[in-house]
Amino acid sequence: MTAIAESPPTAHPEDERRDLVVTGMTCASCVASVEDALRGVSGVRSADVNLATERARVDLDPARADDAALVRAVERAGYGALVLSTDRAERAATEEREREARLRYLRALRRRLLVSAALAIPTMLLSMADLVVPSLGQAAWRAYALFALATPVQLWAALPFYRGALSAARHGRTDMNTLVAVGTTAAYGVSVFATFIPSAFVALGLEPRMFLYYDTATVIVALILVGRYLEARARARTSDEVRALAALGAKTARVRRPGGGEEDVPIERLAIGDVVIVRPGETVASDGLVLAGSSAVDESMVTGESMPVEKGPGDPVTGGTLNRTGSFRFRVTKIGADTLLAQIVRMVEEAQGSKAPIQRLVDRVAAVFVPIVFVVAFASAIVWAIVGPQPSLGFAITAFVAVLIIACPCALGLATPTAILVGTGRGAARGILIKSAEALERARTIDLVAFDKTGTLTVGRPQVVEYLNCAEIGEDEVLRLFAGAELRSEHPLATAVVEAATAKGLEPNEPASLEALPGQGVHAVVDGRDVWIGSPDLARAHGFADLGDGLIAHHQQQGRTVLVGTIDGKPGGIVAVADVAKAAAREAIAELERMGLRTMLVSGDAPRTAEAIARELGIREVRAGVRPNQKAEIVSELQRAGHRVAMVGDGVNDAPALARADLGIAIGSGTDVAIATADIVLVGGDPRGVPRALKLARRTVATIRQNLFWAFFYNVALIPLAAGIFYPVTGWLLSPILAAAAMAISSVTVVTNSLRLRTADIG
């Protein structure tokens, strides 16, 4: 599949975006009609319509176009429209009305289906009864009985097709409803004519009973209704993950008031700065920072990882996550549309409403497809009426109806959007936010993945990785004294020492005196002891002459920073500190290698540090000591060498490279600018999300290819068969009933094939 590049519409700073719910669409031709109607509104810059989600996205100049004009344009095209408000409450109310309308539509469709099926079965049996009881074929009452059975189907069950066809005709266009209405009306009309004016057929030397196509008309209506009902049910399942995410938010929050009291308030009344109490089993009401207490919080809804995350004072919490064990208080930092959950839902909805480049080609084909089908149908009917075997009129009617029915472009219109809908929803459930359908197509072609180091493959802060006690007192006591000396320092290395002590359950005391020595370390008095901790040179000058330079050199070769301490003028200990690799980083790199992708580390750190991490993780290529602008230049260099590059990063310094890469992947724990620049966001910061995202992209695009192949193959292969091209050689002539069954099956097949993405193995 070759992506068709199109220049995006020119962006204007004053433009605004509108999202509309569009009802009544059934095929790709409907999509083209609604898009043309919206683009015809003065002030509209661009309009994209998605058949699977039944949504339209419009960019417009608000000074020249308003919501009412958009709705009028859609209604004039023969469809219904509702504008989705940007206000959270109003939007939720509109979406609820949309869901209720979908349910009513399904119930109505089910009633029409049951009635048509109940009448189509006896109609078909009676039509074929003369094969078993020949005398029935000559019975005068048979034609009238068939008429009585078929008429309710044609005039009531098929009514939506007629309404859609008439609406399309009023606006000078054709669609799927036109094909079905014309095809079944032709079969039904000839049958009525043969029933009530048989003499006209006799005058032409034709046998009237040979032109009773009531079974064709009724069975076609029933089969298409079956397909439409199953398709509607399947489409309703495609965005389950996103609806589940949107429903995760808490409805109320228990807020602690300044006087010490507590109050349950609706989530809409929550304000930034409020202190919220979360008890075991409750949903976290909004994004914030923990003030007091501790607990294990299930963050699987945003990260896709099932293991609960321990939370304590100073840790961030995310609205919509589930508190498991303990209780805690947190201060609200974000509310409403600014919360992570709301941003996730918004990103996924935008991705699901976007179009892959290949879909734009499909839309152009669909716009001219139905008129071409009518030309083929009439041409085949005329040819068979002239040269067909007797009765040639019967062959002409059969070919005409079969071509119209087999060519309905439902599967074509659903092939791409349903796969994108399910694929992006599956990604959201695993903490992978794909911002557009175009990103999916680009992700499929990636052959090299370049990683930033700090915060992307490493935890992003120094940690104590090894400690050697050199003092006569116990190891824990030395570490406690070192932590006490570093307690007031904000340097990352000092923080690592303090965290190592507290992780062992030690409680360092405040130093009685403290002297900071920039670039060297600190001198402090802790619990009456004279403590020096810092660089090896500092330790040598204050009681640690024999440092064991070989050990220090070994750590430095591993990219670690070495801190050496003395206590009361005697050796205390040697501490190796490093920004360690994330637990899952090696697994992520190994999986990318198994997928046949090259990996590279692009870091601003010193070569020794970067190469040490690369060796640990199994990354073969390293570019170290690079500045932010050089990262983007490296990406360009790789692209010029013929590579399709994905850049993975988390910081401001990664943003230029993320933007320059063929695919930018941001770690969700990173900076806002990195997340805004990237095409894909990994919410939880787990590097295993990179191979998962690329696998998901490959599976989604493969599904789109499969869907389009079958949709095109189905029409290309069966339209000639329906037209009777193969009849002179093989005797094959497609029955209109089989054509209806094939058309219905093709649509359902495309949707169910897309639904397989919900269970695809992406790791």
Side-chain angles (χ1 to χ4, degrees):
M1 179 178 66
T2 302
I4 305 299
E6 287 196 355
S7 299
T10 303
H12 296 263
E14 70 275 11
D15 280 0
E16 293 182 3
R17 171 163 290 178
R18 295 288 187 274
D19 292 324
L20 286 77
V21 176
V22 180
T23 58
M25 296 188 298
T26 55
C27 66
S29 296
C30 301
V31 170
S33 298
V34 175
E35 286 182 342
D36 288 343
L38 289 169
R39 289 168 185 161
V41 176
S42 176
V44 170
R45 311 279 190 195
S46 66
D48 283 319
V49 178
N50 189 308
L51 177 62
T53 59
E54 296 184 322
R55 297 287 175 90
R57 177 177 298 160
V58 181
D59 289 322
L60 54 82
D61 178 357
R64 299 171 55 204
D66 58 19
D67 295 352
L70 300 179
V71 172
R72 284 195 302 271
V74 174
E75 290 176 344
R76 282 197 301 269
Y79 304 92
L82 289 171
V83 177
L84 287 171
S85 172
T86 54
D87 179 81
R88 184 181 179 187
E90 291 182 14
R91 188 182 184 97
T94 303
E95 289 176 339
E96 183 59 33
R97 291 199 301 273
E98 178 195 5
R99 282 190 289 272
E100 291 172 357
R102 284 178 186 265
L103 290 174
R104 287 196 301 271
Y105 171 74
L106 275 174
R107 287 194 293 267
L109 197 58
R110 185 171 180 269
R111 286 194 298 269
R112 293 183 190 276
L113 168 59
L114 292 175
V115 170
S116 62
L119 295 174
I121 292 172
T123 301
M124 188 168 60
L125 292 175
L126 185 56
S127 296
M128 297 187 300
D130 57 338
L131 298 177
V132 180
V133 185
S135 60
L136 280 178
Q138 306 296 327
W141 57 267
R142 176 170 169 265
Y144 299 104
L146 289 170
F147 170 78
L149 289 168
T151 298
V153 176
Q154 197 67 34
L155 300 185
W156 180 76
L159 193 58
F161 303 128
Y162 283 105
R163 287 174 178 163
L166 288 173
S167 176
R170 280 198 301 271
H171 299 93
R173 55 180 179 76
T174 55
D175 60 13
M176 169 193 170
N177 293 304
T178 310
L179 297 177
V180 176
V182 172
T184 58
T185 299
Y188 177 78
V190 169
S191 304
V192 172
F193 203 72
T195 300
F196 294 98
I197 314 178
S199 57
F201 288 83
V202 174
L204 295 173
L206 302 174
E207 179 61 50
R209 65 186 180 86
M210 298 298 295
F211 294 89
L212 298 177
Y213 297 110
Y214 289 117
D215 57 331
T216 298
T218 56
V219 173
I220 285 173
V221 170
L223 286 173
I224 293 176
L225 287 173
V226 167
R228 189 171 283 191
Y229 178 72
L230 293 176
E231 174 192 312
R233 282 188 59 189
R235 282 162 63 182
R237 295 176 54 204
T238 55
S239 55
D240 283 351
E241 288 91 350
V242 183
R243 285 198 295 271
L245 278 174
L248 283 174
K251 303 299 183 289
T252 61
R254 173 156 292 196
V255 177
R256 171 168 287 188
R257 294 309 184 192
E262 298 177 2
E263 178 187 3
D264 286 332
V265 302
I267 199 70
E268 292 80 11
R269 287 175 49 197
L270 207 58
I272 293 176
D274 281 347
V275 175
V276 177
I277 299 169
V278 185
R279 292 166 296 193
E282 292 184 339
T283 299
V284 178
S286 193
D287 295 3
L289 291 174
V290 176
L291 298 175
S294 61
S295 182
V297 178
D298 181 355
E299 296 186 332
S300 59
M301 70 92 178
V302 292
T303 65
E305 300 302 324
S306 58
M307 289 299 293
V309 179
E310 296 294 329
K311 298 291 183 180
D315 289 333
V317 289
T318 302
T321 55
L322 181 63
N323 182 33
R324 288 294 188 189
T325 53
S327 60
F328 59 89
R329 299 195 310 274
F330 74 94
R331 176 173 285 111
V332 175
T333 57
K334 293 182 180 178
I335 58 173
D338 294 328
T339 63
L340 179 61
L341 178 59
Q343 291 177 33
I344 289 173
V345 173
R346 185 166 61 249
M347 279 187 191
V348 177
E349 286 178 342
E350 288 180 359
Q352 292 180 338
S354 65
K355 287 189 177 182
I358 188 64
Q359 178 62 28
R360 302 186 187 282
L361 173 63
V362 173
D363 291 346
R364 289 199 295 270
V365 171
V368 298
F369 188 73
V370 174
I372 291 174
V373 167
F374 269 107
V375 171
V376 174
F378 278 107
S380 61
I382 292 170
V383 170
W384 282 113
I386 296 172
V387 303
Q390 294 299 320
S392 59
L393 181 60
F395 272 76
I397 293 170
T398 297
F400 179 74
V401 175
V403 169
L404 292 180
I405 298 303
I406 201 69
C408 290
C410 305
L412 200 61
L414 292 168
T416 301
T418 53
I420 292 170
L421 193 66
V422 180
T424 52
R426 176 73 192 287
R430 296 297 302 272
I432 303 166
L433 302 185
I434 301 166
K435 291 188 177 180
S436 70
E438 186 177 356
L440 280 171
E441 285 207 37
R442 283 190 272 115
R444 181 187 64 86
T445 65
I446 296 301
D447 64 354
L448 187 150
V449 183
F451 287 90
D452 169 55
K453 181 183 78 70
T454 305
T456 301
L457 292 175
T458 65
V459 296
R461 65 182 188 278
Q463 294 182 359
V464 173
V465 294
E466 192 169 327
Y467 169 68
L468 176 65
N469 184 34
C470 303
E472 296 177 358
I473 57 177
E475 175 182 313
D476 286 355
E477 179 63 11
V478 173
L479 189 57
R480 189 182 70 83
L481 292 171
F482 284 172
E486 301 278 26
L487 197 57
R488 292 183 183 174
S489 174
E490 295 181 355
H491 194 285
L493 297 178
T495 302
V497 174
V498 174
E499 287 180 349
T502 55
K504 296 186 70 174
L506 307 176
E507 296 184 6
N509 293 325
E510 291 279 345
S513 66
L514 176 67
E515 179 186 6
L517 306 168
Q520 298 181 68
V522 296
H523 174 215
V525 176
V526 182
D527 295 342
R529 291 180 175 271
D530 187 54
V531 180
W532 295 79
I533 180 169
S535 69
D537 289 341
L538 183 70
R540 285 191 184 96
H542 296 88
F544 205 149
D546 184 12
L547 291 180
D549 290 336
L551 176 63
I552 293 175
H554 167 74
H555 285 306
Q556 290 174 340
Q557 287 171 0
Q558 299 299 314
R560 300 167 180 171
T561 299
V562 178
L563 301 178
V564 184
T566 66
I567 301 173
D568 294 334
K570 296 180 181 180
I574 299 174
V575 182
V577 180
D579 181 10
V580 299
K582 292 180 178 178
R586 184 174 182 83
E587 182 182 340
I589 299 300
E591 185 60 30
L592 290 170
E593 295 282 348
R594 283 194 290 270
M595 293 170 63
L597 302 175
R598 286 175 59 184
T599 56
M600 176 183 289
L601 184 63
V602 182
S603 174
D605 283 337
R608 186 167 55 190
T609 303
E611 288 167 2
I613 286 290
R615 282 195 303 272
E616 180 184 349
L617 299 180
I619 298 176
R620 301 175 186 177
E621 300 177 62
V622 180
R623 302 284 184 93
V626 298
R627 295 188 297 274
N629 62 318
Q630 290 177 316
K631 288 188 178 182
E633 290 171 4
I634 289 171
V635 170
S636 295
E637 175 191 326
L638 294 168
Q639 291 170 328
R640 287 193 297 271
H643 291 292
R644 302 283 290 179
V645 182
M647 179 68 200
V648 188
D650 75 320
V652 173
N653 63 330
D654 299 317
L658 290 172
R660 183 71 58 85
D662 297 288
L663 184 74
I665 303 177
I667 298 295
S669 55
T671 62
D672 290 343
V673 66
I675 293 171
T677 307
D679 303 296
I680 295 176
V681 178
L682 307 179
V683 178
D686 186 342
R688 289 177 297 183
V690 176
R692 287 171 184 164
L694 297 179
K695 283 182 182 179
L696 180 62
R698 289 181 177 184
R699 292 296 296 269
T700 303
V701 174
T703 299
I704 292 172
R705 284 178 153 189
Q706 294 163 6
N707 289 348
L708 288 175
F709 171 79
W710 287 112
F712 278 113
F713 175 81
Y714 156 83
N715 282 307
V716 170
L718 295 186
I719 287 178
L721 180 62
I725 289 177
F726 302 111
Y727 182 80
V729 179
T730 64
W732 296 346
L733 188 66
L734 186 65
S735 160
I737 293 175
L738 292 178
M743 190 274 288
I745 290 170
S746 69
S747 296
V748 176
T749 299
V750 162
V751 177
T752 52
N753 188 48
S754 296
L755 286 171
R756 290 171 57 237
L757 286 168
R758 299 177 71 192
T759 56
D761 181 16
I762 60 173

